[in-house]
Amino acid sequence: MGHGVWGNGQRSGVGRERSGKKVGRRDKGNWGTQGNREGKGHDGEGQGLGGGGMAGLGQDLEGNGQNVHFSLLSDTIYFDEVGSRPGYYYIVNWIFPDGHIGIGNFNASAPEKDQFVINTTAIQWHQMFIEIPRSTCSDTCHLGYRKSTRQGQPSCCYDCVPCSEGEITNETDIETCMLCPEDQWSNQGRDTCMPRNVEFLSYEDPLGTALAAVAVVLTVITALVLGLFTLHWDSPVVRANNRDLSFLLLFALMFSFLCSLLFIGYSGEITCKLRQTVFGLFFIVAVSSVLAKSITVVIAFKATKPDSKFRKLLRTSISYCFVLVCSLGQAAISTVWLITSPPYPDYDTQSITGMMILKCNEGSPIAFYIVVSYLGVLAVLSFLAAFAVRKVPDRYNEAQMITFSMLVFCSVWITFVLAYLSSNSKYMVALEIFAILASSSGLLGCIFFPKCYIIMRRPDINTKGNLTIKHKY
């Protein structure tokens, strides 16, 4: 029992060429003479068929042969563009010793979808076959799988291996998986590339909402403290240790809280450029104001003699100049940063599988760390200056508050830098926001809350004479 193919297809290209040559020789040898004879018999009007006449006859035969198209019984006879007749084959199922049965056909002249026809239910298999035999030793690899050839076996023997994450196959029996574009990722079936989910710290995110709410609340608290100090403009506790620097520090802290909102939401080109530069500028103003306060305490402690040079410094605006110089230094660093290699929005496709993290690429990491280092140096100097005079009389007890506030400030930013280097997601942005809020809150709480307590709860000691005597409050 077996299968076979019967057909009436013919190869006629070579035969046609040979036939043409024979006709040419025959025409030249015989028909030309006959033509001459016919010409003579018809008063010399006939023309021979030799030479150029034979070439025309060959072309006519070829053209007429290609135009043949007629029906013979139930079959249609014609030739294709190369002179071959389209094949028609019968597919039979041999059954030994009984003969064969027809189970289908192949018709090359039919439409492509109807060329091959087979009736699988009519096939009869020998009793030795328990199931239908296969022509390959492996099943078809479906979508999402690739073929992996088995070592030492024929090429038709292979294993179907699932595509890796980020790769797909959209056809069967593919040997190599296709890599998805950078902004797309493979689906669960590994047969389609889907757009990646974009992750960033948004206002709809619970963490983003919480941080934004804290920033707004702290801004309002700072504004209330600023209003309280304005109402008690001439009180001794407000005037102590440079009243104008206190107001400048409060404004800087208020804008520092607000600038943290730039880190929440979609990161555009303008937002990325403003984030670090605005944050750095307001923070430098705040820290340099604290440092100027610390220097003022040191100078006041040294200026005990009436003719001391330090007393003359207290009468000048050296503290304001110091804040201005520090701020101009930060502005110069930020300007160079924005001109040479400004921050820009970027996508991180490597940190989280199947997702893209929208973040602000710093452009120049060196510039970013210069800003943070510059801020850290001023904070350390403020801490050292305040720590050196922490035991001065109560009138200058603000040195103790500055010492503790800068200790909190430095601790927060050291922790931030260590965590910043090991994080690379939206939580990295949340961490920087937390560092801004925590360090600014440390300055606000340690320096101004004790003064607010004296103004609101202990007005009896808010006098010039009482501030020179030690009090527990």
Side-chain angles (χ1 to χ4, degrees), residues 123-140:
I123 300 176
Q124 299 183 20
W125 299 98
H126 195 275
Q127 296 178 356
M128 63 176 293
F129 293 108
I130 301 176
E131 58 182 11
I132 299 176
R134 299 186 306 179
S135 59
T136 61
C137 63
S138 300
D139 292 327
T140 299

Side-chain angles (χ1 to χ4, degrees), residues 91-102:
I91 303 174
V92 299
N93 180 191
W94 284 97
I95 306 172
F96 295 103
D98 300 329
H100 65 274
I101 58 174

Side-chain angles (χ1 to χ4, degrees), residues 165-166 185-186 196-197 348-357:
E165 291 184 339
W185 197 252
S186 58
R196 293 184 189 230
N197 294 325
D348 177 14
T349 59
Q350 304 298 326
S351 299
I352 302 179
T353 301
M355 300 188 68
M356 291 193 305
I357 302 173

